[in-house]
């Protein structure tokens, strides 16, 4: 069997945080089988690195990928839960700012 790719369950990234999560800390996982996964992760990296131009270009690419047909309807329960997780993350940071 070939080596598992970096960032996988069998070969976690050196920056993997799953084992470091607080019991009450919300998290969100983007899996490789999501058609937008690689572009979203790349966008996150560009934003984190302060590369606004590259981030803008990647966001335009994502928008183009989804302009004809979104991966799932906006009414999807999965999307509603994603927004709930986002809000929970924001609230968690506000209450754990001294950690």
């Amino acid at each position: 069997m070939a080596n598992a790719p970096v960032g996988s369950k069998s070969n976690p990234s050196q920056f993997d945080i799953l084992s470091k999560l607080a019991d009450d800390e919300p998290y969100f996982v983007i899996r490789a089988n999501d058609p937008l996964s690689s572009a979203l992760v790349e966008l996150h990296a560009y934003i984190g690195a302060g590369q606004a131009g590259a981030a803008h270009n990647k966001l335009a690419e994502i928008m183009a990928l989804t302009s004809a047909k979104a991966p799932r309807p906006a009414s999807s329960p999965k999307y509603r839960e994603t927004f709930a997780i986002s809000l929970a993350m924001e609230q968690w940071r506000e209450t754990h700012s001294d950690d």
Side-chain angles (χ1 to χ4, degrees):
M1 180 171 130
N3 291 338
V6 68
S8 65
K9 190 175 181 180
S10 297
N11 185 16
S13 157
Q14 68 175 340
F15 304 105
D16 188 82
I17 51 80
L18 287 180
S19 65
K20 298 175 185 172
L21 286 172
D23 288 342
D24 66 339
E25 184 175 355
Y27 66 96
F28 184 83
V29 174
I30 300 174
R31 294 180 58 191
N33 68 349
D34 184 317
L36 299 176
S37 62
S38 58
L40 290 169
V41 171
E42 194 172 341
L43 175 63
H44 175 78
Y46 286 139
I47 291 169
Q51 296 181 12
H56 181 270
N57 293 342
K58 187 53 64 175
L59 181 56
E61 180 184 317
I62 292 167
M63 297 308 293
L65 287 170
T66 61
S67 65
K69 180 179 182 282
R72 68 183 56 84
S75 62
S76 165
K78 193 169 189 175
Y79 281 144
R80 287 195 302 273
E81 182 174 282
T82 301
F83 285 115
I85 292 169
S86 174
L87 178 60
M89 288 173 166
E90 187 175 336
Q91 292 170 338
W92 190 89
R93 279 192 312 273
E94 290 172 1
T95 61
H96 292 77
S97 60
D98 295 336
D99 289 354

